[in-house]
């Protein structure tokens, strides 16, 4: 969430930011109407309070002078003032809530280093690693390989849950567990603290990271006030909601595996085959809390950490910077890491690493203190990134490591997690 004072003083900056995001809008006229209404209410209340205090002081004097009628009139004036102030306090609360809701719907301001663009086709490549494999046989897509190997069952997933669900069996289930443990172990070794989290959360938590109210339609409701989480970012970031951290603790590096649940309300017809875009998937997440002056360095190191997982697995990828038209609601800067998938003959997103600046911290009220540097407290900067999306990693392994006989070789780094299994063969 943006600072209301910043919006008031820099409406042109907000206009430009929303315009650069292509599909973002804010009601500038309504903002200043509400802001002016709030100011006028405050002025009237202060005047009434001053009048009330002055009249209250006169009452005792009037009583001592025997001017009972005037004293009673003064009391009536004080009572009327109190009633009016109560009305105005209620009105002020309503206006401030409307102002808060309006600002809460404004997306973050893209960082000055974010390139302008209309959509993902304008995302510039930063670097690439590895060379896409050239097959000397007819390569298959993971949605064909998985069932033939007996590791992915789409039909039974649809039968027991519905469209865009699948089940894993045999070495497929083991490969999923292996990838999760492998990723978590890499992050913990790098210095991240592991957490085990609930997968059900409340409205306040989702508001804190920016999923609510904007993305309500993409969330699975458990009941009117509880939801299945769309990502562990929500839970990890809100661990410190309403807290004041000590500067000596920063940066904090957190990681967790969770299943993730998304309605994908606006994705009809997109990536409907396979396990690339589904309603439930596993993901290992990274979250950081950093000082403002260090957050961009922390973003770069987070991207490097996600890249290290792909490099250890020997999967070709490239990194792109998201342009203004593709960057997420809460992010000020974002990199996507896209893995090579032969079935698409293209790179597909497998990790998105974002610096949210103080946008989430303001919503969740996460601050830190540093007596040696400043008085009071400052908002932390929050960052998040996939490390990695597990299902997409499995798809990439199946496709990039397939063999002419229909088998799939297990990347060497994963073999200890697979009990020494080196190849998955057709059942």
């Amino acid at each position: 969430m943006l600072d209301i004072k910043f919006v008031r003083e820099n409406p042109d900056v907000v206009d430009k930011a929303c315009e650069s995001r292509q599909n973002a809008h804010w009601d500038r006229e309504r903002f200043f109407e509400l802001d002016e209404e709030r100011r006028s209410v405050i002025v009237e209340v202060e005047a009434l309070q001053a009048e009330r205090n002055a009249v209250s002081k006169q009452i005792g004097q009037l009583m001592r002078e025997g001017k009972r009628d005037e004293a009673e009139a003064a009391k009536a004036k004080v009572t009327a003032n109190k009633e009016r102030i109560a009305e105005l306090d209620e009105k002020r609360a309503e206006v401030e809530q409307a102002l808060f809701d309006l600002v809460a719907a404004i997306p973050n301001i893209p960082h000055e280093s974010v390139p302008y663009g209309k959509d993902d086709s304008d995302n510039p490549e930063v670097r690439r690693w590895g060379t896409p494999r050239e097959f000397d046989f007819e390569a298959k897509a993971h949605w064909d390989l998985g069932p033939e190997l007996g590791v992915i069952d789409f039909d039974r997933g649809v039968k027991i849950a519905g469209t865009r669900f699948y089940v894993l069996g045999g070495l497929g289930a083991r490969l999923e567990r292996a990838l999760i443990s492998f990723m978590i172990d890499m992050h913990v070794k790098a210095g991240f603290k592991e957490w085990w989290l609930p997968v059900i959360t409340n409205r306040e938590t989702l508001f804190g990271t920016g999923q609510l109210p904007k993305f309500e339609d993409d969330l699975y409701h458990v009941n009117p006030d509880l939801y299945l989480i769309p990502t562990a970012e929500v839970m990890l970031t809100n661990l410190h909601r309403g807290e004041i951290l000590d500067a000596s603790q920063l940066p904090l590096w957190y990681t967790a595996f969770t299943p993730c649940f998304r309605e994908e309300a606006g994705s009809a017809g997109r990536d409907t085959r396979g396990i690339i875009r589904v309603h439930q998937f596993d993901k290992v997440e990274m979250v950081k809390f950093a000082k403002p002056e260090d957050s961009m360095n922390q973003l770069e190191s987070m991207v490097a950490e996600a890249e290290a997982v792909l490099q250890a697995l020997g999967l070709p990828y490239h990194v792109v910077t998201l342009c203004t038209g593709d960057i997420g609601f809460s992010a000020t800067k974002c990199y996507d890491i896209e893995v090579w998938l032969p079935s698409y003959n293209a790179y597909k997103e497998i990790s998105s690493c974002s610096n949210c600046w103080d946008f989430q911290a303001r919503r969740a009220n996460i601050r830190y203190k540093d007596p040696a540097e400043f008085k009071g407290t400052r908002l932390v900067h929050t960052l998040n990134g996939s490390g990695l999306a597990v299902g997409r990693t499995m798809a990439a392994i199946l496709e990039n490591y397939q063999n002419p006989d229909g088998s799939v070789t297990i990347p060497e780094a994963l073999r200890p997690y697979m009990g020494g299994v080196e190849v998955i063969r057709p059942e």
Side-chain angles (χ1 to χ4, degrees), residues 189-221:
K189 186 176 181 180
F192 287 78
K193 178 178 180 178
E194 181 183 3
W195 293 83
W196 194 264
L197 305 164
V199 296
I200 294 177
T201 190
N202 54 39
R203 298 188 67 88
E204 187 176 5
T205 299
L206 288 162
F207 177 84
T209 42
Q211 278 75 22
L212 286 180
K214 182 175 177 60
F215 302 105
E216 177 115 20
D217 290 343
D218 287 329
L219 300 171
Y220 276 102
H221 293 240

Side-chain angles (χ1 to χ4, degrees), residues 154-167:
F154 296 105
D155 293 338
R156 289 189 172 93
V158 172
K159 179 173 68 175
I160 64 177
T163 57
R164 296 204 184 188
F165 288 93
Y166 63 95
V167 296

Side-chain angles (χ1 to χ4, degrees), residues 113-128 318-324 326 333-336 338:
S113 63
V114 173
Y116 176 84
K118 293 184 177 181
D119 53 38
D120 58 4
S121 64
D122 291 327
N123 294 337
E125 182 179 85
V126 178
R127 58 184 169 272
R128 63 174 61 192
H318 74 165
V319 180
V320 299
T321 302
L322 267 59
C323 68
T324 56
D326 195 34
K333 185 169 186 177
C334 182
Y335 293 104
D336 271 5
E338 299 178 337

Side-chain angles (χ1 to χ4, degrees), residues 205 208-209 233-246 250 252 254 287-290 292 357-369 377-383:
T205 299
T209 42
E233 168 207 340
V234 172
M235 310 304 268
L236 289 172
T237 304
N238 278 275
L239 285 174
H240 293 299
R241 187 177 74 234
E243 295 182 14
I244 298 176
L245 306 173
D246 192 284
L250 301 177
L252 291 172
Y254 291 166
V287 161
K288 292 184 177 184
F289 301 84
W357 218 245
D358 59 9
F359 190 84
Q360 291 179 330
R362 182 172 289 105
R363 297 170 79 98
N365 191 23
I366 308 171
R367 313 183 75 88
Y368 77 100
K369 59 182 178 181
T377 61
R378 296 172 69 188
L379 292 166
V380 300
H381 281 191
T382 62
L383 304 92

Side-chain angles (χ1 to χ4, degrees), residues 123-410:
N123 294 337
E125 182 179 85
V126 178
R127 58 184 169 272
R128 63 174 61 192
W129 184 92
T131 302
R133 179 180 172 186
E134 293 185 8
F135 295 92
D136 56 6
F137 59 93
E138 187 175 351
K140 297 179 180 180
H142 70 273
W143 52 79
D144 292 323
L145 282 166
E148 291 173 6
L149 291 168
V151 297
I152 306 176
D153 194 322
F154 296 105
D155 293 338
R156 289 189 172 93
V158 172
K159 179 173 68 175
I160 64 177
T163 57
R164 296 204 184 188
F165 288 93
Y166 63 95
V167 296
L168 301 173
L171 290 178
R174 186 160 194 171
L175 180 56
E176 186 87 354
R177 285 192 293 115
L179 284 168
I180 292 166
S181 296
F182 171 70
M183 292 174 188
I184 287 289
D185 285 353
M186 279 197 68
H187 298 326
V188 169
K189 186 176 181 180
F192 287 78
K193 178 178 180 178
E194 181 183 3
W195 293 83
W196 194 264
L197 305 164
V199 296
I200 294 177
T201 190
N202 54 39
R203 298 188 67 88
E204 187 176 5
T205 299
L206 288 162
F207 177 84
T209 42
Q211 278 75 22
L212 286 180
K214 182 175 177 60
F215 302 105
E216 177 115 20
D217 290 343
D218 287 329
L219 300 171
Y220 276 102
H221 293 240
V222 177
N223 65 34
D225 296 311
L226 293 175
Y227 302 79
L228 293 174
I229 63 170
T231 167
E233 168 207 340
V234 172
M235 310 304 268
L236 289 172
T237 304
N238 278 275
L239 285 174
H240 293 299
R241 187 177 74 234
E243 295 182 14
I244 298 176
L245 306 173
D246 192 284
S248 63
Q249 298 175 270
L250 301 177
L252 291 172
W253 291 13
Y254 291 166
T255 188
F257 147 72
T258 64
C260 306
F261 307 87
R262 299 182 187 178
E263 284 269 19
E264 297 283 7
S267 63
R270 296 171 60 194
D271 300 325
T272 54
R273 301 193 71 182
I275 59 177
I276 299 302
R277 190 178 295 275
V278 290
H279 292 311
Q280 178 182 339
F281 59 96
D282 292 331
K283 183 155 67 82
V284 173
E285 187 76 1
M286 301 176 288
V287 161
K288 292 184 177 184
F289 301 84
K291 294 180 180 179
E293 60 271 19
D294 186 40
S295 66
M296 280 304 183
N297 292 330
Q298 293 299 325
L299 176 61
E300 298 297 330
S301 70
M302 178 178 280
V303 175
E305 179 66 14
E307 289 183 72
V309 177
L310 288 170
Q311 291 176 14
L313 295 173
L315 294 171
Y317 67 87
H318 74 165
V319 180
V320 299
T321 302
L322 267 59
C323 68
T324 56
D326 195 34
I327 195 170
F329 176 79
S330 296
T332 190
K333 185 169 186 177
C334 182
Y335 293 104
D336 271 5
I337 304 173
E338 299 178 337
V339 69
W340 179 259
L341 283 179
S343 60
Y344 288 85
N345 194 35
Y347 293 101
K348 296 293 288 185
E349 178 196 338
I350 197 168
S351 173
S352 187
C353 297
S354 302
N355 185 346
C356 297
W357 218 245
D358 59 9
F359 190 84
Q360 291 179 330
R362 182 172 289 105
R363 297 170 79 98
N365 191 23
I366 308 171
R367 313 183 75 88
Y368 77 100
K369 59 182 178 181
D370 189 348
E373 296 291 332
F374 54 84
K375 294 181 179 179
T377 61
R378 296 172 69 188
L379 292 166
V380 300
H381 281 191
T382 62
L383 304 92
N384 63 80
S386 314
L388 305 163
V390 181
R392 294 189 178 199
T393 308
M394 179 183 290
I397 288 173
L398 293 177
E399 293 191 8
N400 284 282
Y401 279 91
Q402 61 182 295
N403 301 309
D405 63 357
S407 66
V408 171
T409 302
I410 299 297

